[in-house]
Amino acid sequence: ILNVEQSPQSLHVQEGDSTNFTCSFPSSNFYALHWYRWETAKSPEALFVMTLNGDEKKKGRISATLNTKEGYSYLYIKGSQPEDSATYLCAPNAGNNRKLIWGLGTSLAVNP
Amino acid sequence: SQTIHQWPATLVQPVGSPLSLECTVEGTSNPNLYWYRQAAGRGLQLLFYSVGIGQISSEVPQNLSASRPQDRQFILSSKKLLLSDSGFYLCAWSSWGQGRSPLHFGNGTRLTVT
């Protein structure tokens, strides 16, 4: 069973702060890693799909990096805004069954 | 543009009653379709996925079933609900296998079995 860990579990920051979260996963048989943002009362929204070791992707103030050899990905938010408040989920696709396995997420609250 | 519709948004059903949740996708052909469940304190769990009409793969043994009667329609059903079926159900689609194609989710159904 693929074990996915996200840390921290929750985070409170002030508007304008930059922040980052971690997603850890077993590095064997890596195929891809997904990041999603899930705002309250909305559906999860895809942020990034990353496939290559050393990948770095950016979408506005949000960026992510991937290290498949050591089994982790970082998500960074620069200059957090209240609208960034959401739960951020990572889901690696690895192992023999090629299915996404979801972490429990990092819940981010940005105070104005 | 592609859209996904899922209904109902909330549902309260007694134990032993049947269930039918429906999901439709517009603006794309031959999508991969998925049913996920999020139980309290747990990550998203894949229940069923489908790569085409009539093709359903079940990921976990359970009280639920899924059907895909049309290319862009995915239905989650149960003949008799259990208390443990309570949770938040999400339908999703992707262009191809869930490995390297992002998932696009519906707004979900909050099911409470009483």
Side-chain angles (χ1 to χ4, degrees), chain B:
Chain B
S1 64
Q2 302 92 354
T3 56
I4 178 169
H5 304 279
Q6 183 182 344
W7 68 94
T10 59
L11 194 58
V12 180
Q13 293 282 101
V15 168
S17 63
L19 173 73
S20 180
L21 303 181
E22 190 161 343
C23 173
T24 60
V25 181
E26 297 176 359
T28 186
S29 297
N30 198 31
N32 284 2
L33 296 172
Y34 311 88
W35 278 110
Y36 278 91
R37 175 172 60 198
Q38 184 182 43
R42 301 184 64 180
L44 288 175
Q45 181 185 36
L46 180 63
L47 302 176
F48 301 96
Y49 73 94
S50 172
V51 298
I53 296 174
Q55 300 178 64
I56 309 292
S57 295
S58 174
E59 291 299 302
V60 292
Q62 58 199 309
N63 185 42
L64 303 168
S65 62
S67 62
R68 184 171 178 173
Q70 300 180 47
D71 181 45
R72 288 168 287 178
Q73 183 184 27
F74 205 23
I75 298 171
L76 183 69
S77 303
S78 173
K79 292 182 179 178
K80 290 185 178 181
L81 284 168
L82 305 172
L83 285 174
S84 57
D85 293 323
S86 293
F88 191 65
Y89 290 82
L90 282 164
C91 180
W93 72 271
S94 67
S95 297
W96 57 89
Q98 61 182 316
R100 293 181 172 178
S101 176
L103 297 178
H104 306 276
F105 287 90
N107 287 332
T109 297
R110 174 74 60 191
L111 172 65
T112 303
V113 182
T114 59

Side-chain angles (χ1 to χ4, degrees), chain A residues 9-70:
Chain A
Q9 185 175 3
S10 64
L11 195 55
H12 293 256
V13 300
Q14 290 298 124
E15 182 174 355
D17 288 349
S18 293
T19 186
N20 64 86
F21 330 129
T22 304
C23 173
S24 301
F25 52 89
S27 56
S28 60
N29 296 319
F30 178 84
Y31 188 63
L33 182 123
H34 296 221
W35 279 102
Y36 291 80
R37 174 172 59 200
W38 194 353
E39 295 179 63
T40 302
K42 295 187 178 180
S43 54
E45 172 196 1
L47 291 173
F48 308 111
V49 177
M50 310 178 78
T51 57
L52 298 175
N53 184 47
D55 249 357
E56 182 169 347
K57 297 209 170 182
K58 189 174 181 181
K59 186 176 181 179
R61 293 178 291 98
I62 303 177
S63 60
T65 60
L66 177 66
N67 184 321
T68 62
K69 296 187 185 305
E70 297 182 40

